[in-house]
Amino acid sequence: MLKYQEIAEKIEAKIHKENLTQGTRLPNLSQLIKDYEVSKSTIVKALTILESRGVIYQVQGSGIFVRRRKRQGYINFLENQGFTADLDEFQLTSKVLDVSLIAPNEEVMRNLNCQPDDQVYHVKRVRYITGQTLCIEESFYKQSIVTYLNEAIVADSIFHYLNQALGIRIGFSDKYLSVGKLQKEAATYLSLKSGDPALFVEELFYLTSGEPFDFSKTTYHYEHSQFFLQSNSIHLS
Amino acid sequence: MLKYQEIAEKIEAKIHKENLTQGTRLPNLSQLIKDYEVSKSTIVKALTILESRGVIYQVQGSGIFVRRRKRQGYINFLENQGFTADLDEFQLTSKVLDVSLIAPNEEVMRNLNCQPDDQVYHVKRVRYITGQTLCIEESFYKQSIVTYLNEAIVADSIFHYLNQALGIRIGFSDKYLSVGKLQKEAATYLSLKSGDPALFVEELFYLTSGEPFDFSKTTYHYEHSQFFLQSNSIHLS
């Protein structure tokens, strides 16, 4: 981990540990430089990360302040792979329905930019949040990049394994979101009725090199899933 | 507009004008410095903004590349106030149902941190996207900040007016998202049936000072609304 990432994590941990509320003023730049014994550029980079992630906001000429959502029980929609800040709040478990190597169909090839003879891991899981059914998730991983998966791995955090065991670094992702009526198969897995509302999310994950390696389709249980998202001035101006 | 914002807009405009696809390599740092006749720090700041907004990705030791979603017809969920990049793609119009000064109810006071005698503008609109019903939206603006609104203003882009006429700068926003069944009133406005699926979004907008000034509740038509969102390494690592 780079120094500025480490400092960013320390500042975020402090905010959580001391349970600071939105609007709480943090020490100013020169105090942070002293407190963490790092250079000005390291602190500036750490603050840029924390601002992008919605942990702080900076008011020019006034200071650095804590940013925290008011409502509990919402999952961070942009960070739902990591769940870092939500670890204390939510317990995620999975039931594995399938993990197997298959040939990609046309939809998977189109999304992952791959060929009929590129094998992909197919993973299907029901996911639970603090004991309640959260979603049914189907994912396709290029085997040329994700060289090995098994049931024990996919029962746990796949992204943790990709990062720690395979050294895969995720560069970015695209999410596509829509709302509709549940079809029969998904309704059965979610213990809901056909025609009930559902949130559908398709997501493409890319390596830092820009190559797509994971295509996933998730159907969320409408009664057990609520999300929050944070925009900042970069998005709004 | 600051110099680096101007350069960021120019680079983005060039990507759109030349219709560059995802993965297209852009000129390197020293070439960009020459092309736009600005300092290195200005280009670095412009690239940071473009990366945060999902317009480019940078691969260490390799270069700067275009990032573009593959699918058309999706609304940017983080930037849906601005619609900047989507201007060519979507036409947004509104039918105003109400704009009036009212006393805030308990829910509005809790969200906007205000008192019973703080007046708020209540705005209710049906919004249309390329002629189809997109959503029904109800918003509450603190009058102490948004000093004046009328029907002509809210029939158009409220945020454009806030920025251009009142000089209000938005610092950040929190969105809360859930899915459920339509109630009768919203169903009528959306020409749907009670019990049909709906996406519910509540959003709080803050000034750059951190003060909340706008609380809005939007119900989206499930057949006419689909969104995309971009995560980057800041969210995923």
Side-chain angles (χ1 to χ4, degrees):
Chain A
M1 192 183 293
L2 295 168
K3 193 71 190 170
Y4 65 88
Q5 292 173 318
E6 189 189 317
I7 301 300
E9 286 204 357
K10 279 187 184 170
I11 294 173
E12 185 173 6
K14 191 172 150 69
I15 290 170
H16 282 271
K17 195 180 155 212
E18 299 184 5
N19 202 18
L20 304 180
T21 54
Q22 175 138 335
T24 305
R25 185 191 296 272
L26 294 176
N28 64 21
L29 206 58
S30 31
Q31 190 60 48
L32 289 172
I33 291 166
K34 274 188 213 158
D35 290 352
Y36 293 97
E37 297 176 320
V38 289
S39 68
K40 184 180 170 186
S41 78
T42 300
I43 288 288
V44 169
K45 277 188 193 168
L47 295 176
T48 303
I49 287 186
L50 292 172
E51 187 155 22
S52 297
R53 293 192 46 230
V55 177
I56 62 161
Y57 60 97
Q58 303 188 66
V59 183
Q60 225 165 359
S62 172
I64 305 158
F65 300 88
V66 171
R67 184 170 171 195
R68 279 189 105 174
R69 67 184 193 280
K70 293 180 153 199
R71 305 181 191 178
Q72 297 305 305
Y74 288 77
I75 303 167
N76 188 324
F77 196 62
L78 283 175
E79 304 194 357
N80 64 351
Q81 294 302 326
F83 279 98
T84 35
D86 298 323
L87 269 182
D88 297 339
E89 199 175 339
F90 299 114
Q91 181 101 44
L92 265 191
T93 53
S94 301
K95 182 168 80 184
V96 180
L97 302 174
D98 183 50
V99 46
S100 57
L101 264 178
I102 60 167
N105 66 16
E106 204 277 319
E107 181 191 25
V108 173
M109 286 192 282
R110 191 175 60 243
N111 280 285
L112 291 180
N113 284 348
C114 67
Q115 306 301 320
D117 57 350
D118 291 324
Q119 298 261 83
V120 295
Y121 272 107
H122 172 249
V123 174
K124 194 168 177 177
R125 309 188 286 183
V126 183
R127 308 202 76 189
Y128 304 89
I129 189 159
T130 51
Q132 291 187 307
T133 312
L134 174 68
C135 62
I136 165 98
E137 175 201 275
E138 198 169 12
S139 299
F140 302 88
Y141 299 86
K142 268 187 194 164
Q143 201 218 351
S144 58
I145 292 159
V146 179
T147 48
Y148 182 73
L149 287 178
N150 67 21
E151 188 167 333
I153 293 165
V154 305
D156 208 332
S157 166
I158 297 179
F159 278 77
H160 183 79
Y161 162 81
L162 296 183
N163 186 259
Q164 298 298 312
L166 302 185
I168 290 172
R169 286 184 55 219
I170 302 169
F172 50 92
S173 83
D174 297 332
K175 278 185 159 77
Y176 297 93
L177 185 162
S178 62
V179 171
K181 295 179 180 175
L182 274 180
Q183 300 291 310
K184 194 168 174 234
E185 193 206 349
T188 305
Y189 286 122
L190 298 174
S191 308
L192 288 170
K193 290 196 294 264
S194 297
D196 271 346
L199 175 68
F200 303 112
V201 178
E202 295 195 11
E203 189 160 13
L204 271 165
F205 291 92
Y206 299 82
L207 301 177
T208 49
S209 67
E211 182 178 355
F213 74 96
D214 172 15
F215 169 54
S216 80
K217 298 160 62 156
T218 307
T219 303
Y220 286 93
H221 191 299
Y222 77 103
E223 288 173 319
H224 304 155
S225 53
Q226 44 185 19
F227 300 94
F228 78 95
L229 285 114
Q230 296 171 301
S231 294
N232 57 42
S233 56
I234 284 172
H235 302 112
L236 297 169
S237 62
Chain B
M1 192 183 294
L2 295 168
K3 193 72 189 170
Y4 65 88
Q5 292 173 317
E6 189 189 317
I7 302 299
E9 286 203 359
K10 280 188 183 169
I11 295 173
E12 184 172 8
K14 192 173 147 71
I15 289 169
H16 282 271
K17 197 181 154 210
E18 299 184 5
N19 203 17
L20 304 180
T21 53
Q22 175 140 333
T24 305
R25 185 193 296 270
L26 293 176
N28 64 23
L29 206 58
S30 31
Q31 190 59 47
L32 289 171
I33 292 167
K34 275 189 214 159
D35 290 352
Y36 292 97
E37 297 176 319
V38 289
S39 68
K40 184 180 170 186
S41 78
T42 300
I43 287 289
V44 169
K45 277 188 193 168
L47 295 176
T48 303
I49 287 186
L50 291 172
E51 187 154 23
S52 297
R53 293 194 44 231
V55 177
I56 61 160
Y57 60 96
Q58 303 189 66
V59 183
Q60 225 166 356
S62 173
I64 305 157
F65 300 88
V66 172
R67 183 172 171 194
R68 279 188 105 174
R69 66 184 195 281
K70 292 181 154 199
R71 305 180 191 179
Q72 297 305 305
Y74 288 77
I75 303 166
N76 189 324
F77 197 63
L78 283 175
E79 304 194 358
N80 65 349
Q81 293 303 324
F83 278 99
T84 35
D86 298 323
L87 269 184
D88 298 339
E89 199 175 339
F90 300 114
Q91 181 101 44
L92 264 190
T93 53
S94 300
K95 181 168 79 184
V96 179
L97 303 175
D98 183 49
V99 47
S100 57
L101 264 178
I102 60 167
N105 65 16
E106 204 277 318
E107 181 190 26
V108 173
M109 286 192 283
R110 191 175 61 242
N111 280 286
L112 291 180
N113 283 349
C114 66
Q115 307 301 321
D117 56 351
D118 292 325
Q119 298 261 84
V120 294
Y121 272 107
H122 173 249
V123 174
K124 194 167 177 177
R125 309 188 288 183
V126 183
R127 308 201 76 188
Y128 304 89
I129 190 159
T130 52
Q132 291 186 308
T133 313
L134 174 67
C135 61
I136 164 98
E137 176 201 275
E138 198 169 11
S139 298
F140 303 88
Y141 299 87
K142 266 187 196 165
Q143 201 218 350
S144 58
I145 292 159
V146 179
T147 48
Y148 182 72
L149 286 178
N150 66 22
E151 186 166 336
I153 292 166
V154 306
D156 207 332
S157 166
I158 298 178
F159 277 77
H160 182 79
Y161 162 81
L162 295 184
N163 186 260
Q164 297 299 312
L166 301 185
I168 290 173
R169 286 183 57 219
I170 302 168
F172 50 91
S173 82
D174 297 332
K175 277 184 160 78
Y176 297 92
L177 186 162
S178 62
V179 171
K181 295 179 180 174
L182 274 181
Q183 300 290 312
K184 194 170 175 231
E185 194 206 349
T188 305
Y189 286 121
L190 298 174
S191 307
L192 288 170
K193 290 195 294 259
S194 296
D196 272 345
L199 176 68
F200 303 112
V201 178
E202 295 195 11
E203 188 158 14
L204 271 165
F205 290 93
Y206 299 82
L207 301 177
T208 49
S209 67
E211 181 179 354
F213 73 97
D214 171 14
F215 169 54
S216 81
K217 298 160 62 157
T218 307
T219 303
Y220 286 93
H221 191 300
Y222 76 105
E223 288 172 319
H224 303 156
S225 53
Q226 43 185 19
F227 299 94
F228 79 95
L229 285 114
Q230 297 172 301
S231 294
N232 57 42
S233 55
I234 284 173
H235 302 112
L236 298 168
S237 62

